[in-house]
Amino acid sequence: MAHKIKVLQISTECYPAAKAGGMGDVVGALPLYLPGQGIESSVVIPRYKRKWFEDHSFVSIHSGTVALGERDVQFEIQKLASTELGYPFYCVNIPGLFDREDIYLADDGHGYPDEKERYISFQLAILHWLTDGTESFDVLHCHDHMTGLITFLMQYCEAFRKLKDIPTAFTIHNGEYRGVFGWEVMAYFPWFEEGRGGLLDWDGDINSLATALKCAWKVNTVSPAYMQELIDDMGALTPLIRHEQAKCLGIINGIDDVLWNPETDKYLKNRRLVKNNWKGFKSKNKTFLLKKYDLKARRPLIGFIGRMAHQKGADILIESVEQCLAEGMKFSTVVLGSGDKQIETSLVDLAKKYPRDIGVTIAYDEKLARAIYAGCDFLMMPSRFEPCGLNQMYSMRYGTVPIVSHVGGLKDTVPDINDNGYGIVARSVDAEGFKEGIQRAIAFYGDKSGLAKHIKKITKIDYSWNNSASQYAEMYRELLKN
Ligand code: GLC
């Protein structure tokens, strides 16, 4: 039998071990669908101080030290003892730097101040481990800037020269975050080939995303439309991505249709889809939400789930909902998420002003999220940019019509109902555009039989990973052709 291609996914998140956003879902799901394409995939992430890690047993397979300047940092690579995830899973234990509960944020809601020490030690530890040769992989697949320096270090550091010819793939889940550090972090790198330092540089700083754009063998974004948007305008990196365009592509994310199945969803006990009775499923879950938040009944229910961040347009949601309510439009809203404190406060204030129209939960809550996907009539995504977006796919799978911005992955997955598509596409990414979106949603809700037919249509769309996994497999094969 031909040798199976072995790929290592290198990331800071992987569901269910540790997830902060969609990247965790992707890294947790893709390896499950690659074996069907002849690819064996493993995952490595940092070990955080989280319950999931405490509840599982690990075997130590490698240990060592990385020198961050004067500071020696001990690390250990641990392998999950059981096979319960369905793929080999490794974590890097770096006490002092990663034994914290939150993946990215300190208590003040800002990124950890020692971000550079964290990411650099994590990347160096992985390269140390791979250099010892006990485990080998045909392709290293890095995700977002936190793993971007690997693409450089493995090619040009003397210490890792054994890894030099292993092809690398790099996925951009979010091109806004770039991992920019001052040149003083050079002190953390082992010696590398003279004259190569320029590969780390962009505009006078070390830029992890720029480094990956230059050094990875292939670069992809998580939707074709987002790749095009970056090529059109990636801010300071526009000339770079244009220069590297030949190795760039867009592959839309899939969703895990086993985890996201309204008939078996473990979070929806007693409120699951039974015998294709969508009407019953939607109404049971809607009633649950209306009761939970004491909202007015017999009107459309619009949901929002996500980070309270500029990217996700949570401020646009607030403004458009407020304007619509002030004009007396009849609909209810439920919002779940956390993030920017100012946005959180304005939401809570708005819910106080309209207690029977808006329900708000400031949290990350997977169980409640499932109830919202299942119980809402519409799900609003006023994203300013959206590399892929998974919520629109989750919502459609649960019979909820998305109201979306015309950007990135939303463009690729949600054509407008008026063009025989799946959702309501706002005309502009601002309160005005989404106000009109809400108006259209209210009108559509009035057409009961049209809506019921539409639910049948969107719940049948195949957004599973099979299609995307075959594109990743193709990308890995191409890398190994060289
Ligand atoms: C990031 C992006 C989101 C994408 C996810 C998974 O969270 O913001 O659009 O779906 O990564 O790739």
Side-chain angles (χ1 to χ4, degrees), residues 407-480:
V407 297
L410 299 173
K411 228 186 213 173
D412 287 329
T413 52
V414 189
D416 197 279
I417 290 176
N418 290 342
D419 304 321
N420 198 23
Y422 307 142
I424 294 173
V425 178
R427 220 186 295 183
S428 51
V429 189
D430 52 20
E432 197 49 43
F434 278 85
K435 196 174 140 194
E436 196 191 307
I438 294 173
Q439 269 164 333
R440 283 183 62 195
I442 296 172
F444 191 36
Y445 182 78
D447 172 11
K448 290 276 179 276
S449 69
L451 183 60
K453 240 168 82 193
H454 191 72
I455 289 177
K456 296 258 183 256
K457 173 173 166 176
I458 57 177
T459 50
K460 284 204 195 96
I461 309 169
D462 179 11
Y463 281 125
S464 74
W465 265 104
N466 294 322
N467 175 36
S468 322
S470 79
Q471 294 180 55
Y472 277 105
E474 179 63 31
M475 177 168 86
Y476 301 143
R477 286 207 178 87
E478 259 179 49
L479 284 172
L480 291 164

Side-chain angles (χ1 to χ4, degrees), residues 21-26 144 171-174 222 253 307 311-312 385-393 409:
M23 186 174 79
D25 285 330
V26 171
D144 269 355
T171 298
I172 304 176
H173 295 266
N174 189 334
V222 285
N253 287 331
R307 274 180 296 124
Q311 174 198 348
K312 300 289 177 187
F385 69 95
E386 196 61 80
C388 176
L390 299 168
N391 292 4
Q392 76 278 18
M393 297 191 261

Side-chain angles (χ1 to χ4, degrees), residues 141-144 169-173 218-222 472 475:
H141 186 163
C142 300
H143 296 265
D144 269 355
F170 182 79
T171 298
I172 304 176
H173 295 266
K218 286 252 181 224
V219 173
N220 82 292
T221 54
V222 285
Y472 277 105
M475 177 168 86

Side-chain angles (χ1 to χ4, degrees), residues 17 21 43 46 107 110 114 121 244 333 350 422:
V43 175
D107 289 343
H110 293 111
D114 54 356
S121 63
E244 300 292 350
T333 309
L350 191 64
Y422 307 142

Side-chain angles (χ1 to χ4, degrees), residues 323-334:
Q323 285 180 17
C324 289
L325 288 174
E327 287 179 24
M329 290 183 209
K330 290 195 166 44
F331 66 102
S332 309
T333 309
V334 287

